[in-house]
Amino acid sequence: MKRLSVLTAAAALLTTPVLADGHATGDAEAGERAFRQCISCHVVVDAEGETLAGRNARTGPNLWGIHGRTIGSVEDFRYSNGLMALMEAGTEWDEAAFVGYVQDPTGWIRETTGDDSLRGAMSFRVRSEEDALNLYAYLVSLGGPEE
């Protein structure tokens, strides 16, 4: 019986996704393709001002260095009341938060804060969890302050 438990645990470890760059389980290459649907609102510009992805979009905040960043903390960007509440609580972006948010912004904010009066401003929804995971992996692959 012990041998079966050890084998089951080993199999579970082998089938669990390994975090790419320590932060993301998705496919960054697929995420780069999926990011095309985000460029009308978002841009990824590094600390030196180099545009790594997107255009000069300003509808949404700069997504560079999103992993580990406090939600709602891009300077000079006007966030929804829901994201501001999460910022005030010190909530940080990680894979689970990103995936939940991009699939249902207002629903995720309400569930996370427990406040049904809060809303998100993003009207677009990523349709599949796989696409959301891939998008996050792509954004993480572009780097950021925590490198």
Side-chain angles (χ1 to χ4, degrees):
M1 199 64 158
K2 266 188 173 180
R3 181 183 167 130
L4 183 58
S5 296
V6 170
L7 290 174
T8 302
L13 287 173
L14 291 174
T15 58
T16 302
V18 177
L19 296 178
D21 296 331
H23 307 298
T25 59
D27 177 346
E29 190 174 305
E32 181 177 12
R33 288 188 301 275
F35 190 74
R36 292 181 190 139
Q37 62 191 333
C38 308
I39 62 173
S40 61
C41 297
H42 292 281
V43 67
V44 180
V45 177
D46 68 14
E48 288 77 39
E50 180 182 350
T51 300
L52 306 175
R55 299 182 205 130
N56 195 19
R58 298 275 184 231
T59 305
N62 180 5
L63 298 178
W64 184 72
I66 194 168
H67 174 76
R69 182 171 76 203
T70 301
I71 291 175
S73 63
V74 171
E75 209 170 297
D76 298 325
F77 187 82
R78 187 170 174 236
Y79 288 96
S80 67
N81 62 355
L83 290 179
M84 291 301 294
L86 290 166
M87 180 190 71
E88 290 167 7
T91 308
E92 293 182 351
W93 286 117
D94 62 15
E95 184 176 73
F98 180 86
V99 169
Y101 178 75
V102 299
Q103 289 191 277
D104 182 8
T106 294
W108 180 82
I109 288 169
R110 289 177 175 175
E111 182 179 322
T112 303
T113 63
D115 186 341
D116 286 342
S117 71
L118 298 175
R119 299 190 53 78
M122 189 168 91
S123 59
F124 180 80
R125 291 181 181 203
V126 174
R127 291 190 179 124
S128 75
E129 182 177 15
E130 181 180 9
D131 281 348
L133 288 166
N134 293 342
L135 282 166
Y136 188 74
Y138 173 61
L139 294 171
V140 168
S141 77
L142 295 175
E146 288 195 356
E147 290 183 284

